[in-house]
Amino acid sequence: MPFTISSLVTFEEEIKKSRFQALATPVESEQEVKDFLEAYRDPTTTHQCWAWKIGHHVRFNDDGEPSGTAGRPILATIEGNELTNVLVLVNRWYGGIKLGTGGLVRAYGGCAGQCLVLAEKIELIEKTPVQFACNFGEWAIFQYELNQQQIDYQENYTANGVEVLANMQKHQIEAFALKVQDITRGREALKIIEEPQDD
């Protein structure tokens, strides 16, 4: 069962006069990763190294540290904690003492690991994107249902009614599909959006 973390956590430590600060946050998409890194860009740091994992996709960045000494150890702590949909950013302010490659691996991996220890782990519930359409008159009923079940959705008003994109947990789909047929009297159906498969 995959786990993610519930919210942003931070951890700071000093290692041989260098200050390290780790920030771990849950992320759902590459866009969220970009937005977070942009929001936390800090020109006062010497290095801003990071790693993230979303599903089976991973990326990491050493940001000028020797190759393999920062991003990869951060990623290793994410995977070692059996987490996904997580981004960990580790900032370093250089204090004048070189740590060497082994020292850097331990510093970045250790700081990221300490940060993740502080995070509350939550079970990651996989959601499936679905879509359906309805008349304006039917939308209030669907809106109520979606809110009752705490389903994330986006509505788009068209000339003919409302088109809805939603992310549903697997167990919600079947009952909701029946509801769509019922309320629209068989005119509309709930469609599962197939995700493009990456190799």
Side-chain angles (χ1 to χ4, degrees):
M1 192 56 73
F3 284 84
T4 186
I5 61 175
S6 60
S7 57
L8 175 68
V9 283
T10 60
F11 173 80
E12 276 195 40
E13 65 180 333
E14 192 177 291
I15 301 168
K16 292 189 178 170
K17 294 200 161 69
S18 279
R19 183 158 73 91
F20 288 85
Q21 176 196 49
L23 301 97
T25 187
V27 285
E28 295 277 323
S29 64
E30 287 198 44
Q31 190 56 51
E32 278 187 38
V33 169
K34 286 188 183 114
D35 293 346
F36 184 88
L37 292 174
E38 190 57 47
Y40 285 88
R41 177 168 290 157
D42 185 344
T44 71
T45 62
T46 322
H47 303 281
Q48 288 196 288
C49 306
W50 49 261
W52 57 260
K53 180 174 183 176
I54 298 173
H56 300 296
H57 301 279
V58 297
R59 295 265 188 296
F60 52 87
N61 185 329
D62 293 318
D63 191 32
E65 292 282 29
S67 179
T69 60
R72 197 174 281 283
I74 297 168
L75 178 63
T77 61
I78 294 172
E79 294 185 321
N81 280 284
E82 293 177 358
L83 292 170
T84 186
N85 293 31
V86 172
L87 162 69
V88 180
L89 166 68
V90 181
N91 294 319
R92 180 189 184 192
W93 290 268
Y94 183 57
I97 299 172
K98 285 195 167 20
L99 300 179
T101 53
L104 288 171
V105 168
R106 282 191 298 279
Y108 280 101
C111 192
Q114 291 289 334
C115 187
L116 289 173
V117 164
L118 301 173
E120 181 196 356
K121 283 189 189 182
I122 53 169
E123 197 174 301
L124 183 70
I125 298 163
E126 289 199 31
K127 294 185 178 172
T128 303
V130 297
Q131 66 186 65
F132 68 94
C134 63
N135 291 340
F136 293 117
E138 297 156 348
W139 174 228
I141 305 167
F142 285 119
Q143 206 169 12
Y144 175 79
E145 276 298 323
L146 290 162
N147 290 331
Q148 279 295 100
Q149 295 188 49
Q150 299 181 327
I151 294 168
D152 301 327
Y153 66 88
Q154 291 173 306
E155 75 262 40
N156 181 27
Y157 295 93
T158 67
N160 307 321
V162 186
E163 290 174 354
V164 185
L165 281 173
N167 281 319
M168 293 187 185
Q169 295 173 30
K170 301 242 187 307
H171 69 86
Q172 295 172 319
I173 293 173
E174 198 175 325
F176 208 92
L178 291 171
K179 202 153 271 173
V180 170
Q181 285 184 322
D182 192 32
I183 293 168
T184 66
R185 299 206 170 95
R187 193 184 68 249
E188 298 291 345
L190 186 73
K191 297 180 195 74
I192 291 176
I193 301 166
E194 292 298 329
E195 303 232 354
Q197 288 299 315
D198 291 322
D199 31 297

